[in-house]
Amino acid sequence: LSSCTSDIMYEQHSVFKYLKHQARCIEAQLGEEDRHCFFVGTYTPQPENELHLVEFIEETNEILTRNVFSHPNEIYSISCCPTNASLLFTCHRGGFMNEVLSQTPSQKTSAPKSAPSTTATDSDSDCKQTQEHADDPSLYKATLWRLVNADAADVASTMNSDNDIGSDYNDEDLNMNPLSGKNLKLQPFFTLPTTSRILGNNKQLSTHTVLWDGLDVGSHIMSLGENCIQFWTFGDKFSSVTEEQCIYDEKRLHQLTSGCWDPHYPNRFISVNSNTIRVWQAKDLKEIQTIENAHKARILCVDHNPNKPYHIVTCSADRTIKFWDLRNSSKPLKILSNHSHWIWCAKFNRFHDQLVISSSSDSNVALWNIVSVSSAPLGELEDNTKQEDTLTKIYKEEHEESVYWASWSANNAWVFASLSYDGRVVINHVPPAVKYKILL
C-alpha cells in the first residue's frame, strides 16, 4: 500500500494549453535534442490559421508558446525532418496561401543544372497550373518550410534570384537550432507540384501526408494523397525536388490514409488504405506484400516498431489496434480493444517499444504497455519477472472532443502530447511505476 501511495504522490499531473482555433495535428520537433518541443497546426476554414511551436518545461510543469507563425490555410498534417529541427512539411488546403507561396524560392528560380526536367522548379507551365488551382479549397498541398532567424531570411531574400533554393543558406543555416533565436520566421522552400508528369495528364493530385525516410533523410520522401503515392528525390541542399515514381489507382489505393518507412531496412515502405496493408519496394514503388482484410473497417494509421524489424502496429475505424509480424501476416500477433470510437493514431515509443499511445474520436488517449510483442529483454517474459500486457492508463478527462493525433517527445521516453479538435494540447507522462519497472 505504501509503495502504491508513493507512486501516486510523485505522479505528475496533465498539463494543458488551449489554442484559439480548432486543430487536428501535433508532431514532436524532431532533431531537437535538448527540449520537449512540438509543432501544432490549426484547422479553421477562415484564413487565420497558425503553426505553433510550443515547449513543455518539466521543471515548472508548464507549456510555453515559443513562436506562432501565420499559416493562412488549415493544416491537415505536419511532418518534421528527423535530423534537422529547422525543416518541416505541412500539408494544407490550397485556398489562402497565394501571397505566402508566391515568395517561395522555388517559384523564382530556374531549374538547377544538376536536376532532370521532372522537377518542382523547372517550367513556367507548372507555375501556371499551380496558380490556376491555388484557390481550390478541396485541394491539399504539401509545402516544405524552414525556420530561420528573421534577419538571415531578409538577407537571403535580397540575394540573386538565379541562385538555387538551397544556396541561399549555408550549412550552418540549414543545421541551426531554431530555438537559438528569438526572432524566427517560417520561410517556404517549395510546394510539391499538384500534377504528375509521370501520369502524363493534368489531373490535380491532393497530398495529405509527407513522410521522411529516417535512414536517408536528405535524399528522398514519400507523399500520400487521394488514391495516389509519389516518390520524390531532393537536389543538393533541397535545391530541387524531382518526382521519380507515381502510382495513381482509384481502386487499389482507395481510401489511402497513412504510411511509414521501415527504420531497419532501406527502400522499404508500408502504406494502409481501406482495410489493406501494403509493403512496397520504395524507389520503384513495387508492391511486394499485401495483407487484405487486416481490419473490419478503414485503417487510419500505421507505425513501424523502431526497435524490432518486421513489426508494425495499425489502428482502425473498427475500434481495434493490431500488432503484426510481416514475416507471418496470416493473423495479427495481438489485438487491443478499449476505445469506443474510431482510433486515429497508434504510435510506438521511440526508445521503449513496449510503450504505445493511442488516440480516438471517443476523446480518450490510452497508454499501453505491450511487452509480449516488444523487443524488451527476454528476462521480462520469464517466470516471476514476467510482465503482462496492460492498459497502463486511460486519459478520459483531459479532452472533450475527438483526439486526432498524439506524439511522443523526440528527446525523452516518458513524455507525450495529445491534441483534440477544440485546440486543446495536453502533455502527459508515463507513470513512475511503469517507468522504473522498465528501467530497473
Side-chain angles (χ1 to χ4, degrees):
L1 179 61
S2 61
S3 176
C4 293
T5 303
S6 176
D7 289 337
I8 294 173
M9 287 175 60
Y10 288 99
E11 186 169 339
Q12 291 176 279
H13 297 293
S14 301
V15 187
F16 300 84
K17 186 173 187 62
Y18 301 87
L19 308 184
K20 64 180 180 180
H21 297 304
Q22 296 172 328
R24 62 173 300 142
C25 56
I26 184 168
E27 285 291 348
Q29 185 185 24
L30 305 180
E32 174 52 67
E33 299 178 351
D34 301 321
R35 302 173 176 90
H36 301 293
C37 292
F38 298 87
F39 286 106
V40 188
T42 66
Y43 196 81
T44 174
Q46 301 302 318
E48 303 170 351
N49 287 283
E50 297 169 333
L51 180 69
H52 292 247
L53 177 58
V54 301
E55 179 183 355
F56 170 62
I57 309 297
E58 281 198 272
E59 292 76 12
T60 57
N61 207 36
E62 62 180 334
I63 303 173
L64 301 180
T65 299
R66 288 299 182 189
N67 297 91
V68 179
F69 307 101
S70 175
H71 189 294
N73 283 0
E74 53 261 61
I75 304 172
Y76 183 84
S77 67
I78 299 170
S79 179
C80 298
C81 178
T83 58
N84 190 321
S86 67
L87 297 176
L88 71 152
F89 272 98
T90 62
C91 292
H92 53 82
R93 296 276 192 182
F96 299 112
M97 294 185 67
N98 297 19
E99 182 176 347
V100 174
L101 295 182
S102 66
Q103 300 176 22
T104 302
S106 63
Q107 294 183 350
K108 68 179 182 180
T109 62
S110 59
K113 295 182 178 62
S114 60
S117 61
T118 314
T119 66
T121 66
D122 63 348
S123 76
D124 293 337
S125 62
D126 275 348
C127 295
K128 290 178 181 178
Q129 289 176 355
T130 300
Q131 292 296 327
E132 288 175 3
H133 296 271
D135 294 317
D136 184 352
S138 65
L139 190 68
Y140 282 94
K141 298 180 178 181
T143 299
L144 176 63
W145 309 85
R146 61 186 156 205
L147 294 179
V148 296
N149 290 318
D151 294 338
D154 291 339
V155 170
S157 66
T158 63
M159 297 181 71
N160 190 329
S161 61
D162 291 333
N163 287 342
D164 288 348
I165 306 166
S167 66
D168 285 350
Y169 294 87
N170 56 34
D171 291 335
E172 183 178 353
D173 293 323
L174 286 174
N175 292 297
M176 63 171 284
N177 179 355
L179 290 181
S180 63
K182 295 180 180 180
N183 188 20
L184 296 182
K185 182 177 181 179
L186 187 68
Q187 183 165 21
F189 252 121
F190 53 72
T191 296
L192 295 181
T194 56
T195 57
S196 169
R197 296 196 176 187
I198 292 176
L199 295 181
N201 55 41
N202 291 324
K203 183 174 181 61
Q204 294 295 303
L205 303 175
S206 276
T207 300
H208 59 66
T209 304
V210 172
L211 299 161
W212 301 82
D213 183 0
L215 295 181
D216 199 356
V217 172
S219 171
H220 53 258
I221 54 170
M222 198 75 76
S223 67
L224 310 181
E226 187 176 357
N227 311 314
C228 183
I229 301 178
Q230 292 170 282
F231 177 75
W232 308 82
T233 56
F234 292 125
D236 183 48
K237 295 183 182 179
F238 306 98
S239 58
S240 64
V241 61
T242 303
E243 181 191 30
E244 301 288 356
Q245 298 290 339
C246 177
I247 293 180
Y248 180 89
D249 194 320
E250 294 181 358
K251 185 175 181 180
R252 183 183 174 195
L253 297 178
H254 179 59
Q255 294 185 330
L256 179 64
T257 53
S258 180
C260 64
W261 288 92
D262 187 329
H264 306 282
Y265 298 104
N267 201 33
R268 280 172 60 92
F269 181 82
I270 298 97
S271 69
V272 292
N273 69 286
S274 189
N275 60 353
T276 302
I277 302 170
R278 304 181 191 275
V279 182
W280 304 83
Q281 189 171 295
K283 291 184 179 179
D284 55 5
L285 280 182
K286 178 182 178 182
E287 189 173 345
I288 58 177
Q289 184 178 1
T290 307
I291 307 173
E292 297 181 335
N293 301 312
H295 283 265
K296 294 180 180 179
R298 187 180 186 181
I299 304 173
L300 299 175
C301 182
V302 60
D303 193 30
H304 205 294
N305 190 314
N307 302 327
K308 196 170 185 181
Y310 303 105
H311 284 64
I312 64 173
V313 63
T314 56
C315 62
S316 166
D318 66 7
R319 300 174 296 173
T320 65
I321 300 169
K322 296 185 178 183
F323 296 83
W324 303 86
D325 184 343
L326 296 176
R327 296 166 299 183
N328 182 14
S329 58
S330 58
K331 63 179 182 180
L333 296 173
K334 191 172 187 66
I335 302 176
L336 306 177
S337 180
N338 184 269
H339 290 286
S340 60
H341 207 266
W342 297 4
I343 305 175
W344 287 92
C345 175
K347 291 290 183 179
F348 286 106
N349 186 287
R350 293 184 176 88
F351 304 92
H352 305 286
D353 55 279
Q354 64 263 54
L355 296 177
V356 176
I357 49 174
S358 60
S359 64
S360 166
S361 299
D362 62 8
S363 76
N364 293 342
V365 176
L367 173 64
W368 308 83
N369 188 15
I370 311 300
V371 180
S372 64
V373 294
S374 75
S375 63
L378 293 177
E380 296 185 9
L381 304 177
E382 297 176 356
D383 302 328
N384 296 332
T385 60
K386 181 177 180 180
Q387 292 187 28
E388 296 182 356
D389 295 338
T390 58
L391 173 58
T392 298
K393 188 170 183 178
I394 185 80
Y395 300 86
K396 293 184 176 182
E397 308 297 331
E398 283 75 4
H399 293 286
E400 296 179 358
E401 292 195 22
S402 296
V403 185
Y404 286 116
W405 211 248
S407 176
W408 291 99
S409 173
N411 75 323
N412 186 297
W414 318 113
V415 173
F416 60 94
S418 56
L419 173 73
S420 51
Y421 191 58
D422 56 3
R424 183 182 301 182
V425 179
V426 181
I427 300 290
N428 280 297
H429 294 77
V430 175
V434 177
K435 172 181 176 180
Y436 292 119
K437 197 166 187 179
I438 291 174
L439 292 177
L440 302 177

